[in-house]
Amino acid sequence: GKLLLFPTVFGVVDPALSIAASLGAKSPFVVGHGKSRWRSMAARRRLDGGASSDHLVLAAAYQGWRRAASGWVQDKYCREMGLCSRTMSTLHSTRSQFARMVAGFLRLPAEQRSQADSPLLPAWLSRNADNPAVVKAVLASALSPNIAMPSLHADSSKSRRATLLTSARQA
């Protein structure tokens, strides 16, 4: 729920869909032996882009996999990046289902919701997708349990003020 709703508000839908799809599947990263292991680790570092986030690495890996348009090119990309092509296909299918859900609750036109491969979501839904700080903040808020709740209090001047109650202050 929150992992699909919050990104629409903050414009990070594209990476959030990939990350949401990955949460229910095994990791697409294959750990090889010897030289292939080192190549795979180097590829992950290239995908990281300094963001220090496994979730963002996965979103970047999916984006690269999608850019490698056809099957044999996607397989080559998977070999170079140390990815399992079957798991990437599963992620794509799940991600497409989530994209249709987003298109549905945004009430996008039917032709955008019914694309066979993946719904055509408007670009403004991913306007901040290239900003790792925004993506991380949205992910943290969407994946964290409720840790605070708003509370309204009347003070001596009979005006109301809002405060946040955390679990430490509620006791």
Side-chain angles (χ1 to χ4, degrees):
K2 291 190 297 183
L3 189 52
L4 297 180
L5 180 61
F6 287 3
T8 62
V9 174
F10 293 99
V12 294
V13 169
D14 190 57
L17 289 173
S18 301
I19 293 164
S22 74
L23 295 177
K26 67 179 186 168
S27 173
F29 293 99
V30 178
V31 179
H33 299 289
K35 288 182 182 180
S36 66
R37 178 184 175 127
W38 292 110
R39 279 196 306 264
S40 175
M41 290 172 62
R44 281 185 82 166
R45 281 193 296 274
R46 282 194 313 272
L47 289 171
D48 184 12
S52 300
S53 168
D54 288 343
H55 293 306
L56 294 182
V57 167
L58 185 117
Y62 177 81
Q63 192 175 48
W65 180 81
R66 284 294 292 155
R67 277 194 298 257
S70 66
W72 69 271
V73 177
Q74 286 177 335
D75 288 342
K76 181 181 178 201
Y77 176 81
C78 287
R79 279 192 306 279
E80 289 174 359
M81 297 308 229
L83 299 167
C84 174
S85 60
R86 186 173 294 153
T87 304
M88 293 302 288
S89 294
T90 301
L91 288 177
H92 176 68
S93 175
T94 305
R95 187 183 188 283
S96 295
Q97 290 174 358
F98 288 155
R100 283 186 193 84
M101 290 170 60
V102 169
F105 70 70
L106 290 176
R107 300 185 188 270
L108 295 176
E111 61 272 6
Q112 287 182 312
R113 284 183 273 160
S114 64
Q115 297 296 315
D117 191 20
S118 183
L120 297 173
L121 297 175
W124 61 267
L125 286 173
S126 294
R127 65 192 175 276
N128 293 316
D130 293 331
N131 187 336
V134 174
V135 177
K136 285 181 181 181
V138 171
L139 289 176
S141 63
L143 295 174
S144 299
N146 293 332
I147 56 173
M149 64 182 222
S151 176
L152 291 174
H153 299 285
D155 62 14
S156 59
S157 66
K158 295 188 181 181
S159 65
R160 297 175 84 173
R161 63 184 175 88
T163 59
L164 279 180
L165 296 177
T166 63
S167 57
R169 289 184 58 194
Q170 292 176 15

